[in-house]
Amino acid sequence: IYSRFEYSCEDIVAEVDENNSIYETNETNNKIEIPIERELCTGQANLVAKSFKLINPEEVINGKLAVFELIIRNIGEKITRNVEWKVVIKNTDNTLDNSTIGSLAPEEESVIYSTFEYPCRTITAKVDPNNKITESNERDNDLDYPINESICTRNKIMPAKPKEKEGVIIEFKIDK
């Protein structure tokens, strides 16, 4: 029997016929304890947005969805669970996509494909955006993808507008 489950910081116990409802000549071999690697449960995690890129930028056309690849890696010493991520228009609360992935062991990474309409604004991928996971470094959780002017010019895409909300920061550039 094969079983798959998230890594835990508790020892794993596998047991058959736990109530001894089946007569056996040896009732002492129905249980096995599997100790966990304790070093995966000490120290701190450190989640990083390792890579954030647009897949096939030459295929992005006006009004169509763009596919972005986000790689999240745990470079810390401790396993993490329920890692949240989101993609926002930079310096706004305008979320383009978000979700949660399962656990990440030390040195493990997860590749996420996120699809949304190309915004023609600089966007930011945020890992653990609400700082729910205690990390050894909280400053490496965000990664920007700068606006690709050629896509916007080629397709005459207008910059996405942030949701109207009090206190929203609007970026703009003034040429002299």
Side-chain angles (χ1 to χ4, degrees), residues 44-75:
Q44 288 186 317
N46 186 16
L47 299 170
V48 297
K50 179 182 171 187
S51 170
F52 185 44
K53 64 183 180 181
L54 176 62
I55 304 295
N56 299 325
E58 66 282 353
E59 293 180 10
V60 176
I61 54 177
N62 195 16
K64 298 293 181 182
L65 298 176
V67 179
F68 286 83
E69 177 188 82
L70 170 61
I71 299 176
I72 300 172
R73 185 171 184 87
N74 181 359
I75 62 171

Side-chain angles (χ1 to χ4, degrees), residues 106-118:
E107 300 306 321
E108 186 177 31
E109 61 186 34
S110 182
V111 179
I112 296 151
Y113 292 95
S114 178
T115 304
F116 47 86
E117 194 171 317
Y118 190 79

Side-chain angles (χ1 to χ4, degrees), residues 1-7 12-15 34:
I1 298 173
Y2 293 95
S3 180
R4 183 181 170 111
F5 46 88
E6 282 194 20
Y7 196 87
I12 298 168
V13 177
E15 187 170 4
I34 305 165

Side-chain angles (χ1 to χ4, degrees), residues 5 25 29-30 34 37 66 68-69 85 91 117 144 147 153 157:
F5 46 88
T25 56
N29 63 356
N30 291 355
I34 305 165
E37 296 179 41
F68 286 83
E69 177 188 82
W85 63 269
N91 296 326
E117 194 171 317
D144 288 345
I147 185 172
T153 304
I157 302 173

Side-chain angles (χ1 to χ4, degrees), residues 2 12 26 36 43 45 49 55-56 73 82 89 94 112-113 130 136 139-140 148 161 163 166 170 174:
Y2 293 95
I12 298 168
N26 183 355
I36 56 107
I55 304 295
N56 299 325
R73 185 171 184 87
N82 301 320
I89 292 179
N94 191 354
I112 296 151
Y113 292 95
N130 300 312
S136 57
R139 295 178 306 280
D140 53 6
N148 184 325
K161 294 180 182 175
K163 294 176 185 174
E166 188 175 320
I170 300 175
I174 301 174

Side-chain angles (χ1 to χ4, degrees), residues 75-129:
I75 62 171
E77 301 169 343
K78 185 177 180 181
I79 193 166
T80 63
R81 285 187 181 54
N82 301 320
V83 178
E84 295 177 3
W85 63 269
K86 69 179 179 177
V87 176
V88 299
I89 292 179
K90 185 174 182 168
N91 296 326
T92 74
D93 290 330
N94 191 354
T95 301
L96 301 171
D97 196 8
N98 66 314
S99 191
T100 302
I101 60 173
S103 61
L104 281 178
E107 300 306 321
E108 186 177 31
E109 61 186 34
S110 182
V111 179
I112 296 151
Y113 292 95
S114 178
T115 304
F116 47 86
E117 194 171 317
Y118 190 79
C120 278
R121 306 250 330 253
T122 297
I123 57 177
T124 304
K126 295 177 168 280
V127 179
D128 188 27

